[in-house]
Every structure is written in C-alpha cells, then in structure tokens.
Amino acid sequence: MEINQVIEKTARDAYGRLLSYLAVNWRDLQAVEDALGDAFLAALETWPKVGVPDKPEAWLVTAARRRLIDRARRTRISESALPTLFAMSEDAQRLTSSSAAFPDERLRMMFLCTHPTIDAVMRTPLMLQTVLGIDAARIASAFITKPATMSQRLTRAKAKIRAERLTFEMPDAEEIPDRLEPVLEAIYAAYGSGWDEATIANSPRRGLAEEAVYLGKLLLQFAPREPEVYGLLALMLHCEARREARHDDEGNYIPLSEQDCTRWDLGLTMEAERYLHAASQAGRIGRFQLMAAIQSVHAQRSSSGRIEWEAIAQLYEGLIRMHPTLGALVGRAAAVAEAYGSERGIALLEAIPPEEVVNYQPYWALAGHLYKRTNRQEDARSAYSRAIGLSSDAPVRQFLSRQASEIGMRHR
C-alpha cells in the first residue's frame, strides 16, 4: 500500500477517535480541527521520506499536540492550559511505546454535543460531522436541508462550543436518559450511511456500519438499563445479518422480501434477538425497539417460510404514533399494500404531503412498484424514473430499471 493510501486510510479509520481524544482534553474544537488537519499535512510531507511510523495515530496526536502548544504560546493562552497539553503528550508517548489501544473518547464527545445550551436540532448533525466524519452535504441530505444551510448551522454550533467553553464530560447517570436520543439518532444515521455505501469500493463511509455497531455496544456500557440502546443494537444487527444476501453472485440487488434466507448470518440474527428480548424486559417501548421488531418479523421467514405482513403493518402503526418519520410512513404503506392490497397502500402513499417526498427515493421506488401492480403504467414509469434518478447505488438503479422495463409486458 502506498504511503498516501496509508494516510488516507488512517484519516478514514481514526479521524473521529483522534479528534475526540484531543477535543475532550483541549476545549477549543476549532483549534483541534485545525491542528489535526496540520498533522495530516505533516504526515503527507514526512512519512514518504522516513516511512510510516509503527503507531500512526500516536504520531498524529503528537504532531497535533505540538501545534496546539505553539498556538497556545502565540496567542498567550493562560498558562493553566498548557499542563493539559503536556499530559496529552505523555499519553501519546506512552501509547507509542506500548501495545495499549488508543483511547476511544467518541462517546464523551457525542454527549458533549447533547449539552443543553446547544440547539436540539443540531445535536445529531454535530455528532455526525465532528465525531463520525460525515460531510455536511451528506448530513444535509439525511435531514432534508440544503448543504450550505447545514454547513452554516454546524459552523455556528461549533462556534458556540468554543465561545462558551463547554465541558467535555459524560453526563451524570441520571442525566443520560434525557440526553440519549440524539446519540442514538447519530449512531443510527451513521449506520444507515455506511449501509448505503457498503458496496462502493472507494467510499470513505464503507466502514461506518461496523463503527456504528461498535459504538452501540460501547454505549451499552454507559446506559445498561436503557431499552432503546438494546433496540438500536437489535435493529443494526438484524440488518448486518443480511448483508451478504443483498446481492446475488453477479452483484444484482435483491430486495429483502426476495432474499435467500440461507444466506443470512444466523449468529448475528440470534444476537439481535437477544438484544431485542433484553429491551422488552424493561417494559418501556421505543421507536428503535419497534423498528427492530419489524426486522425480527422479517427474520422469522427463515423458519416459517412466509412474511407476516399484517404483524409488520401493525408494528408500523405503533411506530408512526410514536415517531412519524417519512421512512415509517412509506414503510407502513408498503406493509399495508402487502397485507391488505395495493390500493390501500397507494392511498397511504398519496396521503403524504408531496413537498415532503420530492427527493425521497424509497417513496418513488414503492410508488413505481404499486402503480405497476395496479396497471397505472404512466404513473409507474414516472415514479420509477424519479427513483432511479435519486439512487446513488448502481445495483439498485439497475434493479429499478429492470422493474420499469417490465411495465405493461403482461398485457401485450
């Protein structure tokens, strides 16, 4: 592997850990981002000449720490701040000379982003950018916002952290339930981003799904009595269990209801079921538990040979009462169409305000499917065309194109 590729891989795999480690010790987030950027530039200049260090992460922390000290001295920051930087330097040296794992401070950093003074709607986007390294354009897409608007909001949120010198501490145990929701949302969004791009070879987000599962398990240590943490883990692991079945041997996309159950990972499915059972013991239902329960019903097809669409539709009803997202509304329409007929599914789809679905690919994919079923050929072609245009995954585009090409074939 070329040195530039090593640096890119280190940035992709470790940036969030490095930034969080530095930021929880040094309160100026912008300064940390700048120093870490300088450290990566220094690596690009130095490593080709002297070789890749044995502990690239420790090298980068040491380089970033030097820049922070230089900046502190130049700007005459209070001398009381410097001992923190020297302690960080000692940590980096210890990590360089030992086999100890680099400390993962990302959860502390994520909980900082839930600080009550930070705008509630910006807590999850802030985590996604600073801790998980997702770019503003991708975050904007997830939150149905213009990229420039999201970028401005993120800049303001980080400026607030800097201006108010917010503390980077885990909340007290009694505070965690109230500050947990945006952390769960960020982990789930990261998982979705990684899931969408898992098959794209050069995507910087390929490993995000595994990272999200790891963070979910890490979070369990901080919130062992919170059923929604178990619910989120169950949801992600049910999806992970089917990763290999999403495509056939030729790389063609296979929708969930048509996947070969024998290709599902039984071990991951059982692990997901254990987490879902643990969540149910708390007697406090939540949206991630309901979403995991929907996936659990799908998983039962491997033993029963059929999908219980009525049960899935009922679970979606509960999910919509609790958390009526666009995804839940479209999912309910799909389940109702399977359980009670395409016309009822179409009625639910068409009840969603048009302005909300303009750029929502799953809506148009389902609309094309249901219109094709009911012989609304022009509507089906139009919907499939929209869905194809909104798809970033090439196998999904090809699948939708094949579906569209079959419109009207049975009636010729």
Side-chain angles (χ1 to χ4, degrees):
M1 188 182 293
E2 292 183 5
I3 287 179
N4 281 11
Q5 291 177 314
V6 172
I7 296 171
E8 286 176 15
K9 185 177 187 304
T10 303
R12 194 163 54 238
D13 295 346
Y15 182 83
R17 288 199 302 275
L18 296 173
L19 182 134
S20 298
Y21 171 71
L22 289 162
V24 298
N25 289 285
W26 184 254
R27 305 294 170 78
D28 188 335
L29 182 59
Q30 185 62 57
V32 165
E33 288 182 327
D34 292 344
L36 198 51
D38 288 345
F40 276 104
L41 285 175
L44 283 169
E45 294 173 0
T46 306
W47 293 3
K49 299 172 186 173
V50 301
V52 177
D54 291 337
K55 292 287 189 78
E57 294 181 8
W59 189 98
L60 289 161
V61 163
T62 300
R65 190 267 316 172
R66 288 197 194 102
R67 280 153 180 77
L68 287 170
I69 289 178
D70 291 344
R71 181 179 181 276
R73 286 172 171 156
R74 279 200 314 273
T75 56
R76 301 186 186 281
I77 286 177
S78 167
E79 289 298 314
S80 64
L82 291 176
T84 298
L85 290 168
F86 291 124
M88 288 160 59
S89 177
E90 291 173 6
D91 276 352
Q93 290 171 0
R94 176 178 56 80
L95 289 162
T96 302
S97 60
S98 76
S99 60
F102 202 84
D104 195 331
E105 302 282 17
R106 286 178 294 177
L107 276 182
R108 285 176 68 190
M109 185 73 187
M110 290 171 82
F111 272 103
L112 165 76
C113 298
T114 70
H115 196 285
T117 64
I118 295 175
D119 182 358
V121 300
M122 289 310 298
R123 292 170 190 171
T124 293
L126 193 58
M127 292 176 214
L128 291 171
Q129 187 189 60
T130 59
V131 183
L132 296 164
I134 299 176
D135 58 88
R138 180 74 183 210
I139 298 168
S141 175
F143 286 83
I144 316 175
T145 306
K146 292 179 180 177
T149 302
M150 180 58 72
S151 184
Q152 290 166 2
R153 290 175 181 171
L154 286 163
T155 299
R156 285 197 297 270
K158 286 190 280 188
K160 187 178 187 70
I161 292 172
R162 183 171 65 250
E164 299 190 11
R165 299 189 68 76
L166 302 182
T167 56
F168 290 74
E169 300 296 334
M170 288 292 291
D172 294 335
E174 61 269 18
E175 292 180 294
I176 283 180
D178 293 333
R179 293 171 67 169
L180 190 61
E181 178 66 22
V183 177
L184 293 170
E185 183 67 41
I187 293 172
Y188 177 55
Y191 181 81
S193 185
W195 175 260
D196 288 344
E197 304 206 15
T199 59
I200 302 175
N202 297 319
S203 170
R205 291 180 285 267
R206 274 192 82 190
L208 265 179
E210 292 89 343
E211 283 293 293
V213 173
Y214 168 78
L215 286 171
K217 291 181 177 180
L218 199 61
L219 183 58
L220 204 56
Q221 299 172 24
F222 292 97
R225 294 182 179 85
E226 291 302 315
E228 281 291 80
V229 180
Y230 291 90
L232 176 58
L233 276 166
L235 171 61
M236 293 190 293
L237 288 170
H238 266 306
C239 294
E240 281 296 283
R242 303 173 193 138
R243 181 184 289 271
E244 295 305 315
R246 290 177 72 198
H247 301 89
D248 64 18
D249 293 338
E250 283 73 47
N252 297 307
Y253 169 75
I254 309 294
L256 173 57
S257 61
E258 298 174 19
Q259 287 174 10
D260 178 358
C261 303
T262 63
R263 298 187 68 191
W264 294 348
D265 186 319
L266 184 59
L268 287 176
T269 299
M270 296 303 292
E271 186 180 359
E273 288 296 303
R274 287 194 294 273
Y275 282 124
L276 189 55
H277 177 73
S280 71
Q281 300 306 295
R284 287 183 283 129
I285 197 69
R287 69 171 176 126
F288 288 112
Q289 294 169 70
L290 285 168
M291 292 165 74
I294 289 167
Q295 297 308 315
S296 178
V297 176
H298 278 291
Q300 290 166 19
R301 176 164 67 91
S302 64
S303 56
S304 69
R306 66 186 299 266
I307 302 172
E308 299 290 346
W309 287 111
E310 294 88 349
I312 292 174
Q314 189 173 5
L315 287 166
Y316 269 117
E317 290 293 342
L319 180 59
I320 286 167
R321 281 196 294 271
M322 183 172 290
H323 201 83
T325 63
L326 191 52
L329 292 168
V330 172
R332 176 182 64 172
V336 166
E338 294 295 337
Y340 306 111
S342 299
E343 294 293 352
R344 285 182 62 177
I346 289 171
L348 289 172
L349 266 190
E350 293 182 343
I352 302 173
E355 64 273 12
E356 293 185 15
V357 301
V358 172
N359 294 314
Y360 191 61
Q361 190 270 355
Y363 175 94
W364 296 106
L366 177 60
H369 175 64
L370 296 183
Y371 288 146
K372 184 171 77 166
R373 265 193 189 175
T374 52
N375 205 30
R376 291 171 57 175
Q377 296 183 16
E378 288 309 310
D379 289 336
R381 287 192 184 93
S382 176
Y384 274 130
S385 178
R386 293 286 288 274
I388 292 164
L390 291 167
S391 297
S392 58
D393 187 322
V396 170
R397 284 198 304 272
Q398 291 161 5
F399 170 80
L400 293 170
S401 295
R402 287 195 298 273
Q403 297 299 308
S405 69
E406 296 169 1
I407 293 171
M409 286 177 64
R410 288 171 297 177
H411 304 284
R412 287 174 187 170

